[in-house]
């Protein structure tokens, strides 16, 4: 195809230049043909724009999906990876003890620390068990979903109040 008749333009619009015609009234002209996207492309575009707009609000959901994929890959690597992740279940309790010793908290701050420690302990325990037995084995899928709902709800509450 020659460069004179090749389609030019941006994505979604194709511009075709028709070469000069011979004769007295020969004037160049352009034909612009819009590219109509499919309904599926429109739906995925809308979904992508919506997710991008609310990306900060959906951070816990993204991290939960990442954890699900990572633990599935670790499980495929070997059952022993669950043993490597087992200290993750104990680390939040150690953190709570150190924080309460260095900077004692009372009332609502202590309640938030305890809730955060409980959620982090649940998450670490789930990660170790999911890497060892598979992320959806037994009731681990339900535990993952409940932890996701709790984390997402807490995230939205904290973001609204601060």
């Amino acid at each position: 195809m020659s460069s004179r008749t090749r389609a030019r333009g941006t994505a979604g619009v194709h511009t075709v230049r028709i070469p000069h015609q011979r004769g007295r009234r020969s004037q160049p002209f352009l034909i612009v043909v819009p590219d109509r996207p499919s309904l599926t492309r429109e739906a995925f575009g809308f979904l992508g724009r919506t997710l991008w707009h609310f990306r900060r609000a959906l951070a816990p959901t993204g991290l939960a999906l990442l954890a699900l994929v990572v633990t599935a890959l670790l499980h495929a690597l070997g059952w022993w990876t669950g043993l490597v992740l087992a200290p993750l279940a104990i680390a939040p309790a150690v953190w709570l003890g150190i924080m309460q010793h260095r900077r004692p908290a009372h009332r609502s701050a202590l309640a938030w620390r305890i809730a955060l420690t409980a959620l982090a302990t649940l998450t670490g325990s789930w990660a170790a068990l999911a890497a060892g037995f598979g992320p959806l084995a037994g009731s681990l899928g339900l535990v993952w979903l409940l932890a996701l709902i709790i984390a997402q709800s807490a995230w939205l509450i904290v973001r609204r109040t601060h």
Side-chain angles (χ1 to χ4, degrees):
M1 179 179 279
S2 74
S3 64
R4 294 173 59 185
T5 59
R6 184 175 58 230
R8 297 177 190 161
T10 60
V13 175
H14 300 288
T15 304
V16 179
R17 186 177 187 282
I18 298 177
H20 290 280
Q21 303 295 316
R22 299 189 191 265
R24 294 179 82 186
R25 294 181 167 196
S26 63
Q27 293 193 12
F29 58 93
L30 296 174
I31 298 175
V32 178
V33 181
D35 186 22
R36 292 188 178 183
S38 66
L39 185 59
T40 306
R41 182 174 176 197
E42 286 288 328
F44 278 125
F46 174 75
L47 181 65
R49 285 187 299 275
T50 303
L51 289 175
W52 182 255
H53 181 72
F54 294 108
R55 65 188 179 274
R56 287 188 182 135
L58 296 173
T61 302
L63 289 174
L65 291 173
L66 179 68
L68 187 71
V69 170
V70 168
T71 54
L73 291 174
L74 288 175
H75 175 68
L77 185 62
W79 63 269
W80 53 269
T81 56
L83 298 175
V84 174
L85 293 179
L88 284 177
I90 302 169
V94 172
W95 172 82
L96 180 64
I98 291 172
M99 286 302 292
Q100 279 300 105
H101 179 70
R102 288 185 181 172
R103 292 183 177 178
H106 303 289
R107 297 188 184 168
S108 66
L110 181 60
W112 275 105
R113 282 184 186 178
I114 291 172
L116 181 64
T117 301
L119 184 61
T121 301
L122 175 69
T123 305
S125 301
W126 176 86
L129 290 170
F133 298 110
L136 300 176
S139 61
L140 288 177
L142 180 62
V143 171
W144 175 80
L145 184 62
L146 289 175
L148 167 64
I149 291 170
I150 292 168
Q152 185 67 51
S153 300
W155 178 260
L156 292 175
I157 289 169
V158 168
R159 288 192 73 224
R160 292 275 173 152
T161 57
H162 294 289

